[in-house]
């Protein structure tokens, strides 16, 4: 296996992780709301709710402070080490990137992330997490 291939593979794995986190944040809120409406108690497990809140809090903080996501930076560094352009990769990477990365002024992202963060906080208020633990109801 060549070094270039390894770096490109690692970059694609970072991109997949990034996409998984986006799905977790967006899908997580939908699951929290739907799960509470359908009486799925596991959606209020403290570990799940803290993880969800933590990820969106990091995204919001990054946008407020004008920081580039560390996963984006790592992926671009790996792609540079693979001696490819910042947007060169596999078929999967190409399509994931077209969904994850798009052009807009920075303030648009800050507003969108902040509003989404407020929705997550509202979900905490409307559907509070369970602080007790019942092994039969959590994953």
């Amino acid at each position: 296996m060549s070094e270039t291939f390894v770096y490109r593979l690692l970059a694609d794995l970072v991109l997949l992780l990034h996409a998984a986190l986006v799905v977790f944040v967006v899908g997580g809120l939908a699951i929290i709301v739907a799960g509470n409406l359908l009486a799925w108690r596991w959606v209020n497990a403290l570990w799940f709710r803290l993880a969800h809140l933590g990820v969106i809090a990091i995204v919001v903080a990054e946008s407020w402070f004008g920081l580039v996501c560390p996963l984006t930076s790592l992926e671009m560094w790996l792609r540079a080490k693979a001696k490819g352009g910042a947007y060169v990769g596999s078929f999967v990477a190409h399509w994931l990137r077209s969904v994850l990365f798009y052009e807009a002024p920075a303030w648009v992202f800050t507003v969108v992330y902040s509003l989404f963060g407020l929705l997550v906080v509202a979900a905490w208020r409307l559907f509070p997490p369970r602080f007790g633990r019942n092994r039969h109801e959590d994953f």
Side-chain angles (χ1 to χ4, degrees):
M1 230 183 306
S2 74
E3 187 174 297
T4 300
F5 175 79
V6 171
Y7 280 120
R8 191 170 52 234
L9 178 64
L10 289 172
D12 288 350
L13 290 174
V14 170
L15 180 62
L16 285 171
L17 173 63
H18 204 168
L21 286 172
V22 170
V23 168
F24 174 67
V25 169
V26 175
L29 182 59
I31 287 171
I32 289 166
V33 172
N36 274 281
L37 296 175
L38 296 170
W40 299 340
R41 291 185 46 94
W42 68 266
V43 299
N44 290 322
L46 186 59
W47 67 268
F48 180 73
R49 299 295 295 276
L50 285 173
H52 187 253
L53 181 65
V55 174
I56 191 60
I58 290 169
V59 171
V60 171
E62 287 171 354
S63 71
W64 285 352
F65 293 112
L67 302 173
V68 175
C69 176
L71 291 175
T72 301
S73 298
L74 177 59
E75 181 199 350
M76 294 304 114
W77 179 81
L78 290 166
R79 293 209 186 281
K81 293 295 271 183
K83 301 191 181 14
Y87 295 103
V88 174
S90 69
F91 176 79
V92 171
H94 171 76
W95 288 105
L96 280 176
R97 191 171 292 103
S98 68
V99 170
L100 287 178
F101 302 113
Y102 42 90
E103 295 294 322
W107 67 267
V108 171
F109 294 102
T110 301
V111 169
V112 169
Y113 297 153
S114 297
L115 290 174
F116 196 87
L118 289 174
L119 287 174
V120 172
V121 171
W124 270 70
R125 181 112 168 108
L126 291 171
F127 310 113
R130 284 182 296 109
F131 290 94
R133 183 164 184 203
N134 184 342
R135 293 176 196 245
H136 300 290
E137 295 173 354
D138 294 345
F139 285 145

